[in-house]
């Protein structure tokens, strides 16, 4: 396979999917299975094989490694460290572990601090217990605070919180409560997600109770306003960070960088090839490397480049576009962008074209212009 790559790609970003949860949350469409020791051990054996097989094909020097899930905190700290030790981590600046508040003890946090993990993404979602129940989360708000305190006490200095808004029957006062509680905890980073429900999740039956678009948009701008007033900088449509705490790993997706996806359901992007591993643990155990790899056409690459770059508040660098696609973006898309520039949904700032804040909530509509 490697002979068909255009270059000898250097891989600097790694995503590892850990496909286990203690229980499925009622809104979640991410691939995961109910945790068992036996399947976890088989998964670790296969993950190791997958890592070693890729190491034989590519030069891998991770700057960022991200354990997502599922519930990666169901792995023991020593298991996480033994995965990390399979890589040359001398250039690794960010190693993130997603943590479910339900699975964290003081002892776990202390042991985790002894590993190379240096960034935590804590799945808070809400600080309103009724909302957490509605979402089918296994933890309450007290457990989020406890988990956060354990992680801080253990010495973690880069913690992100995830929040979800746009819940069925969500009240503005409840949303405000969650934002204020999040700010009070003083994390380095906050990611906010608008609830979206696929047909096959239990909460789909309450989809009609989600507030209308206008209200959800109001919620989005309320979160934004509160976080910015509290000193966070928005660096992407859904992501806010203290200065210098933007997630390097998140940024790799929006900057068109190559990344290796490992584990079931993980997606990867290397040298203009994309692949997704089977979202089925048994199929993953039998999977052939490179079987699902598909070359992206230049046209698709260009579209992805545009809408991923425009997700960053900094926008898309016009010189980078010219360099990658040998065309002038402003001339090529003159017709598509004219009305947005005129009504100030898009703006040009130096070498960048970017969305203006009033278009953040309707960004998908603008992106379809380039599709
Ligand atoms: S939201 Fe997280 S914890 Fe809940 S089922 Fe999905 S992956 Fe598991």
């Amino acid at each position: 396979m490697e002979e068909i790559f255009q270059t000898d790609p250097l891989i600097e970003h790694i995503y590892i999917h850990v496909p286990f949860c203690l229980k499925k949350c009622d809104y979640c469409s991410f691939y995961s299975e109910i945790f068992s020791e036996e399947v976890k051990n088989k998964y670790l054996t296969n993950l190791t094989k997958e890592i070693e097989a890729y190491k034989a094909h590519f030069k891998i020097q991770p700057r960022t490694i991200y354990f997502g899930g599922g519930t990666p905190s169901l792995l023991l700290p020593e298991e996480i460290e033994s995965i990390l030790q399979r890589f040359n981590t001398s250039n690794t600046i960010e190693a993130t572990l997603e943590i479910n508040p339900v699975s964290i003890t003081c002892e776990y946090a202390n042991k985790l601090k002894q590993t190379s993990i240096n960034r935590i993404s804590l799945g808070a979602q809400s600080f309103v217990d009724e909302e957490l129940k509605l979402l089918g989360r296994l933890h309450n708000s007290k457990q989020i605070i406890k988990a956060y305190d354990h992680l801080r006490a253990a010495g973690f200095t880069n913690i992100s919180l995830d929040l979800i808004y746009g819940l069925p029957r969500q009240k503005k006062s409840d949303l405000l409560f969650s934002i204020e509680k999040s700010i009070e905890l003083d994390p380095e980073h906050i990611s906010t997600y608008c609830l979206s429900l696929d047909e096959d999740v239990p909460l789909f039956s309450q989809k009609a109770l989600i507030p209308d678009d206008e209200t959800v948009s109001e919620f989005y701008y309320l979160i934004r306003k509160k976080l910015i007033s509290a000193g966070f900088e928005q660096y992407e449509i859904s992501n806010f960070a203290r200065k210098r705490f933007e997630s390097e790993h998140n940024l790799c997706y929006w900057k068109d960088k190559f990344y290796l996806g490992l584990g079931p359901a993980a997606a990867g992007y290397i040298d203009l090839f994309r692949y997704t591993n089977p979202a089925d643990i048994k199929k993953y155990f039998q999977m052939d490397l490179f079987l699902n790899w598909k070359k992206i056409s230049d046209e698709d690459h260009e579209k992805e480049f545009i809408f991923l770059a425009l997700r960053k508040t900094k926008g898309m660098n016009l010189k980078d576009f010219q360099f990658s696609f040998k065309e002038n973006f402003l001339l090529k898309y003159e017709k598509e962008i004219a009305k947005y520039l005129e009504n100030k949904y898009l703006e040009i700032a130096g070498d960048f074209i970017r969305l203006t804040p009033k278009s953040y909530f309707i960004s998908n509509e603008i992106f379809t212009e380039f599709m």
Side-chain angles (χ1 to χ4, degrees), residues 191-220:
S191 298
T192 60
Y193 299 104
C194 182
L195 181 69
S196 88
L197 296 170
D198 289 339
E199 273 178 34
D200 57 348
V201 301
L203 204 58
F204 185 78
S205 59
Q206 298 202 35
K207 194 176 163 75
L209 302 174
I210 289 178
D212 58 27
D213 284 356
E214 206 177 305
T215 310
V216 178
S217 161
E218 193 195 324
F219 286 176
Y220 171 78

Side-chain angles (χ1 to χ4, degrees), residues 17-34 68-72 98 100 102 123 125 135-139 164:
H17 193 77
V18 184
F20 309 110
C21 294
L22 290 175
K23 166 198 168 285
K24 214 54 206 163
C25 301
D26 290 346
Y27 61 100
C28 178
S29 295
F30 291 122
Y31 172 66
S32 66
E33 301 276 339
I34 299 303
T71 308
E98 282 183 0
N100 186 318
V102 82
Q125 318 309 354
L135 291 168
R137 303 285 299 179
L138 277 177
H139 57 86
I164 299 185

Side-chain angles (χ1 to χ4, degrees), residues 15-17 50 260-268 275-278:
Y15 173 81
I16 301 173
H17 193 77
E50 195 186 5
L260 195 62
L262 303 165
Y275 67 91
T276 306
N277 285 346

Side-chain angles (χ1 to χ4, degrees), residues 230-286:
F232 287 89
E233 286 179 14
Q234 183 173 22
Y235 69 103
E236 193 264 351
I237 293 172
S238 309
N239 285 279
F240 300 81
R242 298 276 180 213
K243 232 184 202 14
R244 295 187 302 280
F245 282 98
E246 296 91 357
S247 162
E248 283 294 324
H249 187 85
N250 288 354
L251 281 166
C252 92
Y253 300 126
W254 306 313
K255 287 182 172 173
D256 197 39
K257 303 278 187 199
F258 300 150
Y259 53 90
L260 195 62
L262 303 165
Y269 170 54
I270 312 283
D271 207 17
L272 302 187
F273 280 83
R274 278 200 187 281
Y275 67 91
T276 306
N277 285 346
D280 175 317
I281 199 142
K282 286 193 187 117
K283 288 188 184 149
Y284 166 71
F285 290 158
Q286 291 155 9

Side-chain angles (χ1 to χ4, degrees), residues 166 168 186 238 318 327 346:
D186 199 19
S238 309
L318 296 163
E327 284 191 85
L346 278 174

Side-chain angles (χ1 to χ4, degrees), residues 288-352:
D288 289 328
L289 224 54
F290 298 119
L291 194 68
N292 298 321
W293 287 49
K294 294 212 169 60
K295 180 90 175 159
I296 313 171
S297 66
D298 290 345
E299 203 187 324
D300 285 345
H301 179 215
E302 185 176 314
K303 288 177 198 163
E304 288 178 14
F305 184 95
I306 296 169
F307 84 79
L308 289 170
L310 286 177
R311 289 195 63 89
K312 292 176 287 145
T313 53
K314 202 173 171 192
M316 184 181 77
N317 188 317
L318 296 163
K319 284 186 180 158
D320 287 351
F321 183 90
Q322 174 87 41
F323 179 79
S324 298
F325 304 103
K326 312 288 173 251
E327 284 191 85
N328 182 311
F329 176 84
L330 298 178
L331 291 178
K332 181 166 184 183
Y333 291 100
E334 195 178 0
K335 258 210 268 158
E336 287 83 350
I337 60 178
K339 67 173 180 224
Y340 294 114
L341 285 171
E342 198 186 312
N343 58 23
K344 302 209 173 351
Y345 279 90
L346 278 174
E347 66 185 5
I348 294 168
D351 288 335
F352 288 82

Side-chain angles (χ1 to χ4, degrees), residues 137-172:
R137 303 285 299 179
L138 277 177
H139 57 86
N140 57 27
S141 56
K142 266 195 195 145
Q143 284 168 298
I144 303 173
I145 297 165
K146 220 171 166 188
Y148 185 91
D149 289 344
H150 287 325
L151 291 160
R152 278 290 192 230
F156 284 99
T157 54
N158 190 356
I159 302 182
S160 176
L161 293 183
D162 276 359
L163 286 181
I164 299 185
Y165 65 96
L167 274 55
R169 293 189 209 272
Q170 187 167 38
K171 288 189 265 170
K172 190 168 156 183

